C-alpha cells in the first residue's frame, strides 16, 4: 500500500479492496447521486477474486482512497476503483481508433487508466466522495498517479452528473453515447402500458408475446435469495452459451456467480423460461435497492437460451422485466448498451457520459476535435430517435 499526504487527506493506493471495510465503502456509495449495485464492495471484490478482472485478463486493480483524520480515527472521504488496462475490451465506450492512432505514431496507448465497473455498461457514480471538495481531490489524486507513473490516459466511464461536473472543472474531455431506458409512468399493469403505445408498436408487442406463449413457453421470476443451486448453474450455462455462440470467451468466471450468490443475492432477479417443464433460457436482472430494501431501478444484465424459440429474447429481456417492474413499482429499467431495436419495446434513448484525459497534448487536441464532431452527430441522432417514439403523442 502506498500513502501520500494531499491537503487535508491521506491518499492510499492498494491492489485490492481488503483494506477498506465493506460497510465504509458501501456507506459512501449510498451517499452518491447515482449509486448502483455494480460499484458495491462485494461486486468489485468478486470481479477480482473470481479471476474475471485481474492482470491475467488485462485488468490490474488499484483502489484509490482518500482519508481524513477524525477524533475516532481515519474516515473514508473518497474512493474509486482504478484499473490499469492492457486492452479496451469489456468497456463499452470504444476508443480503438484512438489506440490505433497512437500506434501509427509510435506512441504507447496501453496501459491506460480506467475508472469503471468491469464489463458493466451501467451509468452511475464512479468518483465516490463525501463532498464536492473530496471528489475534486480524488480526481486530482488520479491525475497525479497517472502523471507520476507515465500512464498515457485516464478514462472515467458512464459517470454520474456529479462525476462529470468534477471532470469538467478539471478540464477533462467529455464524451456522450446513447443507451435505451424504460421509465415507469405509473401504469397499472402491462395492458395499461400497452395502451400508451402507438397502435403499430402495441400490435407488434402482442404478436411477439403470442408467439412465445403459443410455443408453450412459460416464465417464472425467481428473486436472488430464492434461487437454488440449479438456478445458478442454469444461469452460468446460459451466460456462457451466449458468448460461445458469438465466438467469444465469457468474461465472467464461475466464481463470480458463486460470490454473487453468497454476498449479493438480494440484488438479482432471474427470469427462467421453461418448455414442457424444462428450463430453456434465462434473463438476469440487477436491482438497485432503496434504504428499505425495495427495488427502485432494474438493469438488464445477462441472457442466454438453450433452445431456439421465435421472439424468446424479446420476451425474456424486455417484456417480462417491464411487466415485473410495473407490478413492483420500479421506476426505471435500463436495457444495457446499444440497441435501437429496444425503442420498439418502449425503451427510449437516454444519453450516457464519460470523461477522458490524455497526457499527450497533440492527441488530446485531436481527440477534442473528434469528440466535438461526434457530439453533434449524437445530438442529431437523439433528435431523430425522439421523432420515432413508440409512445402516443399527447392529445
Amino acid at each position: 500500500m502506498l500513502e501520500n499526504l494531499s491537503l487535508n487527506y491521506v491518499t492510499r493506493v492498494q491492489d485490492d479492496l481488503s483494506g477498506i471495510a465493506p460497510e465504509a465503502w458501501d456507506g459512501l456509495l449510498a451517499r452518491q447521486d447515482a449509486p448502483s449495485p455494480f460499484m458495491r464492495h462485494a461486486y468489485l471484490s468478486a470481479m477480482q477474486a473470481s479471476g474475471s478482472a485481474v492482470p491475467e485478463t488485462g485488468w490490474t486493480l488499484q483502489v484509490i482512497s482518500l482519508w481524513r483524520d477524525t477524533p475516532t480515527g481515519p474516515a473514508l472521504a473518497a474512493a474509486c476503483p482504478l484499473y490499469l488496462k492492457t486492452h479496451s475490451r469489456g468497456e463499452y465506450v470504444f476508443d480503438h481508433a484512438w489506440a490505433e492512432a497512437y500506434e501509427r505514431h509510435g506512441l504507447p496507448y496501453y496501459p491506460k487508466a480506467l475508472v469503471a465497473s468491469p464489463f458493466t455498461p451501467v451509468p452511475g457514480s464512479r468518483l465516490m466522495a463525501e463532498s464536492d471538495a473530496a471528489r475534486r481531490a480524488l480526481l486530482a489524486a488520479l491525475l497525479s498517479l497517472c502523471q507520476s507513473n507515465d500512464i498515457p490516459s485516464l478514462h472515467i466511464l458512464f459517470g454520474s452528473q456529479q462525476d462529470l461536473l468534477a471532470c469538467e472543472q478539471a478540464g477533462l474531455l467529455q464524451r456522450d453515447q446513447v443507451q435505451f431506458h424504460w421509465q415507469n409512468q405509473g401504469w397499472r399493469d402491462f395492458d395499461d402500458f400497452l395502451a400508451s403505445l402507438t397502435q403499430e408498436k402495441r400490435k407488434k408487442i402482442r404478436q411477439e408475446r403470442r408467439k412465445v406463449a403459443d410455443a408453450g413457453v412459460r416464465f417464472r421470476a425467481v428473486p436472488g435469495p430464492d434461487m437454488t443451486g440449479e438456478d445458478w448453474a442454469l444461469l452460468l450455462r446460459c451466460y456462457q452459451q451466449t458468448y460461445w455462440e458469438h465466438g467469444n470467451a465469457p468474461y465472467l468466471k464461475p466464481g463470480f456467480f458463486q460470490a454473487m450468490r453468497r454476498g449479493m443475492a438480494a440484488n438479482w432477479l432471474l427470469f427462467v423460461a421453461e418448455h414442457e417443464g424444462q428450463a430453456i433460457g434465462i434473463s438476469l436482472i440487477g436491482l438497485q435497492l432503496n434504504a428499505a430494501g425495495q427495488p427502485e431501478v432494474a438493469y438488464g444484465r445477462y441472457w442466454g437460451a438453450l433452445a431456439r424459440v421465435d421472439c424468446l429474447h424479446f420476451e425474456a429481456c424486455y417484456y417480462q422485466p417491464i411487466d415485473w417492474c410495473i407490478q413492483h413499482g420500479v421506476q426505471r429499467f435500463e436495457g444495457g448498451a446499444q440497441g435501437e431495436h429496444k425503442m420498439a419495446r418502449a425503451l427510449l434513448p437516454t444519453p450516457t457520459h464519460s470523461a477522458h484525459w490524455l497526457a499527450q497534448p497533440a492527441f488530446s487536441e485531436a481527440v477534442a476535435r473528434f469528440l466535438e464532431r461526434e457530439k453533434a452527430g449524437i445530438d442529431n441522432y437523439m433528435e431523430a430517435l425522439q421523432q420515432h417514439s413508440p409512445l402516443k403523442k399527447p392529445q
Side-chain angles (χ1 to χ4, degrees):
M1 178 181 72
L2 299 178
E3 288 194 0
N4 288 306
L5 292 173
S6 175
L7 298 176
N8 298 320
Y9 303 107
V10 173
T11 302
R12 299 178 183 173
V13 182
Q14 301 163 279
D15 58 10
D16 60 36
L17 280 159
S18 64
I20 302 177
E23 56 269 24
W25 181 279
D26 292 344
L28 186 63
L29 174 61
R31 296 163 59 186
Q32 304 310 300
D33 61 330
S36 87
F38 313 112
M39 283 288 288
R40 285 189 57 192
H41 192 285
Y43 188 85
L44 297 172
S45 295
M47 283 285 178
Q48 186 178 35
S50 67
S52 301
V54 292
E56 291 77 12
T57 61
W59 299 75
T60 299
L61 177 60
Q62 299 280 275
V63 179
I64 315 299
S65 58
L66 270 56
W67 302 77
R68 58 177 174 80
D69 288 332
T70 73
T72 57
L76 183 64
C80 69
L82 177 71
Y83 292 92
L84 302 181
K85 291 289 303 298
T86 57
H87 55 70
S88 293
R89 297 187 295 277
E91 299 174 14
Y92 304 93
V93 176
F94 303 108
D95 61 352
H96 300 94
W98 304 358
E100 291 169 0
Y102 269 66
E103 184 178 359
R104 287 196 301 271
H105 287 80
L107 297 173
Y109 191 73
Y110 303 105
K112 66 179 184 179
L114 187 78
V115 178
S117 180
F119 319 118
T120 310
V122 172
S125 298
R126 298 291 180 261
L127 304 174
M128 303 187 303
E130 63 180 6
S131 66
D132 291 340
R135 186 171 295 104
R136 290 193 294 270
L138 177 61
L139 181 56
L142 289 168
L143 292 169
S144 176
L145 184 147
C146 290
Q147 291 165 340
S148 61
N149 289 277
D150 294 324
I151 298 170
S153 61
L154 170 67
H155 310 265
I156 299 170
L157 306 187
F158 299 106
S160 71
Q161 290 302 313
Q162 287 182 342
D163 296 334
L164 295 165
L165 178 60
C167 290
E168 181 180 18
Q169 292 172 342
L172 273 68
L173 305 176
Q174 306 273 324
R175 188 178 194 184
D176 295 343
Q177 290 187 291
V178 178
Q179 288 187 355
F180 296 85
H181 300 172
W182 176 87
Q183 299 284 346
N184 194 339
Q185 297 186 15
W187 293 294
R188 297 183 302 274
D189 52 31
F190 199 86
D191 285 337
D192 190 32
F193 159 64
L194 285 181
S196 71
L197 305 182
T198 63
Q199 192 274 339
E200 176 191 3
K201 296 299 187 291
R202 184 166 62 246
K203 179 180 178 181
K204 181 179 182 64
I205 290 174
R206 284 178 172 154
Q207 288 174 338
E208 291 175 344
R209 300 201 80 181
R210 191 177 303 117
K211 287 180 180 179
V212 177
D214 289 349
V217 177
R218 300 294 180 264
F219 280 82
R220 58 184 175 95
V222 190
D226 297 334
M227 289 173 61
T228 65
E230 291 183 354
D231 291 328
W232 285 99
L234 173 67
L235 163 61
L236 176 61
R237 183 184 176 192
C238 290
Y239 165 77
Q240 292 176 333
Q241 180 76 16
T242 299
Y243 275 81
W244 288 328
E245 285 180 354
H246 290 85
N248 299 314
Y251 286 138
L252 301 177
K253 309 298 184 185
F256 171 80
F257 293 100
Q258 296 166 9
M260 292 299 96
R261 183 182 185 184
R262 291 191 304 270
M264 286 183 58
N267 294 103
W268 299 105
L269 173 68
L270 184 70
F271 292 98
V272 180
E274 296 178 329
H275 182 259
E276 297 181 352
Q278 297 295 315
I280 63 168
I282 61 93
S283 172
L284 185 68
I285 305 300
L287 300 174
Q288 170 65 20
L289 308 178
N290 61 22
Q294 299 301 310
E296 56 183 7
V297 184
Y299 311 90
R301 296 304 301 123
Y302 312 119
W303 130 271
L306 306 177
R308 296 193 179 278
V309 176
D310 195 14
C311 297
L312 180 62
H313 174 263
F314 301 139
E315 181 68 30
C317 296
Y318 306 120
Y319 306 143
Q320 288 290 324
I322 288 173
D323 197 350
W324 188 90
C325 287
I326 293 172
Q327 292 177 38
H328 292 82
V330 175
Q331 292 305 302
R332 187 170 75 252
F333 170 59
E334 300 187 8
Q338 291 105 35
E340 287 183 16
H341 66 278
K342 296 170 186 173
M343 273 197 71
R345 283 88 201 171
L347 282 77
L348 302 182
T350 304
T352 62
H353 313 280
S354 59
H356 308 266
W357 170 85
L358 291 87
Q360 218 285 339
F363 271 91
S364 182
E365 293 172 5
V367 168
R369 292 192 295 271
F370 164 79
L371 292 178
E372 186 176 349
R373 296 191 302 271
E374 184 184 60
K375 179 172 173 31
I378 291 290
D379 290 344
N380 291 334
Y381 177 59
M382 285 280 294
E383 184 177 348
L385 288 174
Q386 289 162 357
Q387 298 301 314
H388 296 87
S389 172
L391 297 174
K392 291 178 180 176
K393 290 182 170 58
Q395 297 297 320

